[in-house]
């Protein structure tokens, strides 16, 4: 029996995790975010609207779900406030169902200012971050100078900590980057205000989630970003600043990995990436433009166009090696519907030899040439199909080949952006 399920991104983010978590949350008791921040943009499409969530777990639309934000998340009180405001128009009992860890690191406006200043200073070597302040917030956490959610509840201590941290941020902003200082007292005031509405939402997430699991409740863990953006295993330095794989659950939610029953990786039927960094199968031609247009490939957080390319089984194999996926959820199959033929990258040519694994180094990946296998398209619509048997033969062959090359069974398929556009296979039958 599957009681706990981790859903993580198997590529460079935006694989469709939000939609899939929403689909898999109808019978669960809790959905837990464990890393990242409001750099994430998770889209849910219901009958009458499209919703983009950044910090609030994507199970929130289901009435029985408690949505936990674990300690591993860098939390901007402003961003959370805005998201709660927007969502409260459609979800009535929001404040009873969103819970925040008292150990979350606070992400402040000065983190965003530093993020933007650093990127500007990097010029052509910029990472292409989401400008949300994610990197600087995690830096402060690791350097042991960050503010945590629990600091919000002692305003005097908070004042001292804000002043100390802002001294440091303003030194960097002014002396290193020539940018304007940010007033510590304004940040202190807005954090004091935030403490009022946040207090009732704050809890010990590790304790609450552990006891739910121990009592037999169904719990889903929602990854943000994707394995190739992992700070340790991704295409460094073109990565985000958190651990995006299942390891992030033990540190960022406080639940031992032994308590995770299954891991599902969400992967697109092709590949996309936002921001800079190596991308061996990237297309710069009309096919790439067709994928971008049909897939509406624009970032859900920043609106930037996503770079598009063929499915890269080397990357997903590597992600599987790092995380052990029980199943793949292949999304956006419908985007490939009209293509004459489809390529899959099976391995790379590097330094005159064939390689079927990557070292995570961005420098090496930059020099890898993809080797492709070509398969015929299916010239038929898969859009909205919910029964595996109804998929065109060539679409099934394509999915089987992805499974063979990655070594992971296909457990779920998404054939459109809406909730019902999904095919479940045996692996998830007990979920
Ligand atoms: P996430 O960050 O992994 O949650 O993914 P995003 O929400 O950033 O991006 C995925 C986009 O693809 C969203 O606009 C979804 O509505 C859309 N989407 C998800 N699954 C499918 C699918 O199977 N087909 C199509 N056409 N669109 C999909
Ligand atoms: P979801 O959860 C895709 C990318 C940025 C940039 C790099 C570092 O929606 O899949 P950061 O602001 O995190 O310091 O940026 O990571 N990035 C994402 N790309 N989807 C995301 O989240 C991303 N979050 C960050 O574009 O390349
Ligand atoms: Mg996204």
């Amino acid at each position: 029996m599957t009681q706990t399920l981790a859903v993580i991104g198997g590529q460079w983010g935006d694989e469709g995790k939000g939609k899939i978590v929403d689909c898999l949350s109808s019978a669960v008791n809790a959905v837990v975010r464990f890393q990242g921040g409001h750099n994430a943009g998770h889209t849910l499409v219901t009958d009458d609207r499209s919703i983009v969530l950044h910090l609030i777990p994507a199970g929130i639309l289901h009435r029985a779900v408690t949505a936990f934000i674990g300690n591993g998340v860098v939390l901007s009180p402003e961003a959370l406030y805005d998201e709660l405001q927007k969502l409260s128009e459609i979800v009535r009992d929001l404040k009873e169902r969103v819970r925040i860890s008292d150990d979350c690191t606070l992400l402040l406006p000065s983190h965003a200012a530093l993020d933007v200043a650093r990127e500007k200073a990097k010029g052509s070597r910029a990472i292409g971050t989401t400008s949300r302040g994610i990197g600087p917030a995690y830096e402060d956490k690791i350097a042991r100078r960050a503010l945590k959610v629990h600091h919000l509840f002692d305003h005097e201590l908070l004042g001292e900590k804000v002043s100390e941290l802002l001294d440091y941020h303003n030194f960097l902003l002014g002396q290193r980057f020539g940018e304007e200082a940010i007033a510590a007292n304004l940040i202190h005031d807005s954090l004091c205000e935030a403490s009022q509405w946040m207090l009732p939402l704050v809890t010990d997430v590790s304790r609450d989630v552990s006891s739910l699991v121990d009592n037999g409740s169904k719990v889903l863990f929602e990854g943000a970003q994707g394995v190739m953006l992992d700070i340790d295993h991704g295409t460094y330095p073109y990565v985000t600043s958190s651990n995006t794989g299942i390891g992030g659950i033990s540190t960022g939610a406080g639940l031992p990995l032994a308590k995770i029953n299954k891991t599902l990786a969400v992967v697109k039927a092709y590949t996309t990436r936002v921001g800079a960094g190596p991308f061996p199968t990237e297309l710069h031609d009309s096919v790439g433009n067709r994928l971008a247009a049909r897939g509406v490939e624009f970032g859900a957080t920043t609106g930037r166009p996503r770079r598009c390319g063929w499915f890269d089984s080397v990357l997903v194999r590597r992600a599987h090696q790092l995380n052990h996926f029980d199943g793949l959820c292949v999304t956006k199959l419908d985007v490939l519907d009209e293509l004459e033929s489809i390529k899959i990258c099976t391995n790379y040519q590097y330094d005159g030899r064939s390689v079927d694994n990557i070292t995570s180094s961005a420098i090496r990946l930059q020099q890898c040439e993809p080797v492709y296998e070509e398969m015929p398209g299916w010239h038929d619509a898969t859009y909205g199909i919910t029964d595996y048997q109804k998929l065109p033969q060539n679409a099934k062959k394509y999915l089987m080949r992805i499974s063979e090359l990655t070594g992971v069974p296909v457990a779920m398929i998404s054939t459109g952006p809406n909730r019902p556009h999904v095919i479940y296979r045996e692996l998830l039958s007990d979920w």
Side-chain angles (χ1 to χ4, degrees):
M1 153 92 181
T2 309
Q3 191 207 322
T4 49
L5 177 70
V7 175
I8 65 171
Q11 294 159 320
W12 276 297
D14 300 331
E15 298 90 348
K17 299 175 291 296
K19 172 198 161 159
I20 299 308
V21 169
D22 176 47
C23 287
L24 292 172
S25 293
S26 59
V28 313
N29 305 94
V31 179
V32 187
R33 273 280 306 271
F34 51 91
Q35 45 72 230
H38 64 307
N39 49 348
H42 296 177
T43 315
L44 323 182
V45 183
T46 63
D47 292 344
D48 50 354
R49 65 184 104 225
S50 169
I51 302 161
V52 180
L53 297 172
H54 303 285
L55 283 163
I56 299 175
I60 193 69
L61 299 187
H62 301 271
R63 299 293 304 266
V65 166
T66 303
F68 287 99
I69 300 181
N71 61 280
V73 170
V74 284
L75 188 73
S76 155
E78 286 178 13
L80 181 62
Y81 184 81
D82 289 348
E83 201 169 322
L84 286 167
Q85 285 300 107
K86 263 198 207 138
L87 205 57
S88 65
E89 289 162 21
I90 41 174
V91 181
R92 254 178 268 123
D93 55 348
L94 205 51
K95 295 236 162 108
E96 279 80 67
R97 295 200 288 112
V98 173
R99 289 293 173 267
I100 304 164
S101 164
D102 52 1
D103 276 328
C104 283
T105 296
L106 291 175
L107 188 153
L108 309 176
S110 47
H111 289 127
L114 280 169
D115 193 357
V116 172
R118 287 225 168 101
E119 284 283 276
K120 198 166 114 193
K122 280 203 171 98
S124 63
R125 288 178 302 104
I127 288 160
T129 70
T130 58
S131 309
R132 297 296 186 268
I134 304 296
Y138 277 113
E139 276 174 47
D140 281 350
K141 166 181 158 172
I142 300 299
R144 297 167 292 187
R145 58 174 171 255
L147 301 178
K148 297 271 189 165
V149 164
H150 60 79
H151 289 137
L152 289 175
F153 308 115
D154 176 344
H155 289 185
E156 209 179 305
L157 175 69
L158 180 70
E160 285 167 29
K161 292 199 72 82
V162 168
S163 144
E164 215 174 286
L165 188 60
L166 264 290
D167 268 356
Y168 175 64
H169 287 175
N170 282 331
F171 172 77
L172 288 175
L173 284 170
Q175 304 298 310
R176 173 72 181 84
F177 299 113
E179 300 289 341
E180 272 179 33
I182 292 182
N185 63 325
L186 293 184
I187 293 204
H188 181 241
D189 292 350
S190 81
L191 290 176
C192 289
E193 221 175 286
S195 70
Q196 307 291 322
W197 61 263
M198 262 168 111
L199 182 61
L201 311 185
V202 173
T203 190
D204 177 343
V205 169
S206 168
R207 180 202 56 201
D208 290 1
V209 171
S210 296
S211 71
L212 281 170
V213 171
D214 293 345
N215 293 332
S217 297
K218 272 185 150 181
V219 181
L220 194 152
F221 295 85
E222 175 184 354
Q225 291 80 52
V227 174
M228 287 301 137
L229 287 170
D230 183 279
I231 183 71
D232 285 292
H233 299 290
T235 48
Y236 192 89
Y238 301 99
V239 292
T240 190
S241 299
S242 64
N243 286 118
T244 55
I246 52 160
I249 297 174
S250 61
T251 54
L255 192 84
L257 286 185
K259 294 200 178 181
I260 306 292
N261 299 142
K262 273 188 190 148
T263 303
L264 182 73
V266 186
V267 296
K268 274 179 184 157
Y270 48 100
T271 310
T272 64
R273 170 164 211 169
V274 209
F279 182 172
T281 63
E282 183 172 13
L283 290 164
H284 297 281
D285 58 10
S286 60
V287 181
N289 295 340
R290 268 172 81 177
L291 294 178
R294 255 189 91 90
V296 199
E297 295 296 356
F298 293 94
T301 294
T302 58
R304 291 177 292 173
R306 296 177 183 142
R307 300 153 67 191
C308 296
W310 297 117
F311 186 86
D312 186 338
S313 58
V314 186
L315 294 185
V316 179
R317 254 196 320 266
R318 175 76 176 189
H320 175 45
Q321 175 202 303
L322 294 163
N323 291 279
H324 183 78
F325 302 139
D326 295 288
L328 295 181
C329 170
V330 180
T331 60
K332 304 191 99 160
L333 186 67
D334 55 294
V335 173
L336 304 181
D337 278 356
E338 283 167 15
L339 296 177
E340 287 296 309
S341 74
I342 299 168
K343 289 183 184 171
I344 306 188
C345 169
T346 55
N347 56 303
Y348 301 142
Q349 275 293 118
Y350 171 71
D351 203 16
R353 49 200 170 85
S354 166
V355 287
D356 62 4
N357 202 334
I358 59 163
T359 70
S360 312
S361 156
I363 306 295
R364 291 217 194 125
L365 200 55
Q366 205 85 262
Q367 294 155 0
C368 285
E369 277 298 317
V371 177
Y372 292 114
E373 203 174 88
E374 197 155 354
M375 299 183 76
W378 39 87
H379 315 288
D380 209 346
T382 65
Y383 185 86
I385 289 183
T386 54
D387 176 357
Y388 186 76
Q389 297 315 327
K390 295 204 170 130
L391 286 177
Q393 207 51 36
N394 285 349
K396 286 190 210 160
K397 282 189 184 155
Y398 181 67
L399 293 167
M400 278 190 277
R401 191 64 186 132
I402 285 181
S403 175
E404 269 170 16
L405 286 167
T406 57
V408 190
V410 174
M412 196 172 165
I413 300 146
S414 175
T415 55
N418 293 49
R419 255 185 190 172
H421 300 160
V422 69
I423 301 171
Y424 296 96
R425 310 211 53 214
E426 303 77 49
L427 189 84
L428 289 166
S429 56
D430 67 345
W431 181 248

